[in-house]
Amino acid sequence: MSIHGVLGESTSYPKTYQPDTLYAIPRSMGRNEINWQEDKLQVGVDWWHAFEMSWLNSQGISQMAIARFGIPASSPNIVESKSLKLYLNSLNFTEFDSWETVEQTIAKDLAACVGAEVQVSLFGLDAISSGREADTGFLIAHPQGKCIDQALDNLPGKVELVEHPDASLLAEDVDVSASLDQAEKQYQLYSNLLRSNCPVTNQPDWGTLAIDITTSQNIDEAKLLTYILSFRQHNGFHEQCVEQIFADLSQRYSPSKLMVRAWYTRRGGIDINPCRVSDSSLLPQPSRLVRQ
């Protein structure tokens, strides 16, 4: 009996240290599609967590850790996620004399790939399983604010599947200029229904999206949820999806403050968590949600 299809495909994993496995993708590819002020998309961080981190100590004994990589949104490149997985696997049988050397090596290699300084931290399993999770950001958290996932439940009509994100779904039925003189309000909203597809493999990517916005305009939660659902068949990297949402909300609501953040579920032992803010002072700490 033979196995056909994707289940029969194999991947060759390197068994020796291979930094050239890392594959850079220019951020400009996604930002050119957004067609908005690129400098406003460069404030933020992409946090990556790698849960299958291992290497050898000087005695040849396997070491285990969880890694966090902080890649600045101002970097000219992102790293393709499967290439990162292959790179990390190339460390599995490589000897290092200390944890610090591992951190320094990864930081150097990722910086060379993305074109900017990368923050690398390794956490021992005891550090995140003995009551100190809050200090590391690995304590399972909950998004702040109001979940809008039921905002469409009692409304007539059907949400259609579309091929690409549609910012026109955010449009109000009335003249939005009437709300410009209103006092600003802060909205903290989130949805667990963010879905898009990897543009490389076409595999689905699921995430939780959080929006913290201060604006004088009213936000219709049903319209916002419909807009988020318009990403379901979109082919875009995690970072590009968050930046698209950040750009669309900025143009639609003219906010004085805005944070758009996503926690994506793991694939290949790695999760990606982009965050974009209108001002660096709004940048939160890295965290982990229940689906991660």
Side-chain angles (χ1 to χ4, degrees):
M1 180 178 178
S2 62
I3 301 176
H4 299 281
V6 295
L7 293 179
E9 296 179 3
S10 61
T11 300
S12 177
Y13 288 93
K15 294 184 179 179
T16 56
Y17 170 58
Q18 292 187 16
D20 57 351
T21 302
L22 293 169
Y23 186 81
I25 298 176
R27 289 191 189 270
S28 58
M29 292 178 59
R31 291 173 177 172
N32 288 342
E33 293 184 12
I34 295 173
N35 193 28
W36 193 56
Q37 299 159 281
E38 184 173 349
D39 60 315
K40 293 189 176 182
L41 301 175
Q42 295 181 3
V43 186
V45 178
D46 302 325
W47 289 293
W48 296 57
H49 293 130
F51 289 84
E52 299 175 2
M53 184 75 221
S54 183
W55 65 96
L56 301 180
N57 67 9
S58 56
Q59 292 181 282
I61 301 172
S62 295
Q63 305 295 290
M64 183 63 65
I66 295 177
R68 174 181 292 132
F69 314 132
I71 301 175
S74 57
S75 67
N77 305 316
I78 61 175
V79 57
E80 196 278 319
S81 59
K82 186 170 184 178
S83 78
L84 177 62
K85 180 182 179 183
L86 293 173
Y87 164 75
L88 294 178
N89 272 273
S90 81
L91 305 180
N92 289 174
F93 306 115
T94 303
E95 292 187 9
F96 294 91
D97 57 11
S98 69
W99 284 46
E100 291 76 15
T101 303
V102 179
E103 290 179 334
Q104 293 167 4
T105 300
I106 297 174
K108 172 180 64 69
D109 294 339
L110 286 181
C113 179
V114 304
E117 182 179 352
V118 176
Q119 300 297 318
V120 175
S121 299
L122 297 178
F123 301 92
L125 302 187
D126 59 339
I128 56 178
S129 60
S130 59
R132 288 183 284 161
E133 300 97 326
D135 296 332
T136 63
F138 284 102
L139 179 70
I140 294 179
H142 191 277
Q144 294 184 342
K146 179 182 180 182
C147 181
I148 63 171
D149 289 350
Q150 283 74 49
L152 293 162
D153 285 3
N154 298 317
L155 296 180
K158 182 178 181 179
V159 178
E160 300 294 336
L161 289 172
V162 296
E163 292 293 326
H164 302 289
D166 185 359
S168 70
L169 295 169
L170 295 169
E172 289 284 357
D173 297 327
V174 296
D175 183 6
V176 297
S177 62
S179 65
L180 294 180
D181 294 330
Q182 296 181 7
E184 288 190 325
K185 294 180 289 186
Q186 182 184 16
Y187 296 85
Q188 287 186 308
L189 307 169
Y190 71 92
S191 171
N192 297 302
L193 304 183
L194 179 62
R195 183 197 188 277
S196 55
N197 295 321
C198 173
V200 176
T201 66
N202 207 41
Q203 289 180 293
D205 293 316
W206 285 96
T208 293
L209 178 74
I211 298 167
D212 192 330
I213 182 171
T214 301
T215 177
S216 60
Q217 300 185 32
N218 296 319
I219 295 181
D220 186 317
E221 295 175 8
K223 291 182 182 294
L224 179 58
L225 179 58
T226 304
Y227 164 71
I228 293 170
L229 293 174
S230 74
F231 280 80
R232 288 182 290 184
Q233 296 194 100
H234 174 61
N235 282 359
F237 293 110
H238 303 69
E239 300 90 341
Q240 184 264 337
C241 291
V242 168
E243 291 184 349
Q244 181 73 66
I245 295 169
F246 186 91
D248 289 343
L249 296 182
S250 295
Q251 294 176 88
R252 168 61 185 83
Y253 295 110
S254 302
S256 60
K257 296 180 181 179
L258 176 62
M259 180 191 73
V260 176
R261 181 180 191 180
W263 296 261
Y264 279 91
T265 57
R266 260 180 260 174
R267 216 156 19 88
I270 297 173
D271 64 47
I272 306 173
N273 309 271
C275 180
R276 298 294 178 270
V277 290
S278 56
D279 185 274
S280 58
S281 64
L282 302 175
L283 196 64
Q285 294 298 312
S287 61
R288 172 190 179 195
L289 299 188
V290 66
R291 290 199 292 173
Q292 298 179 300

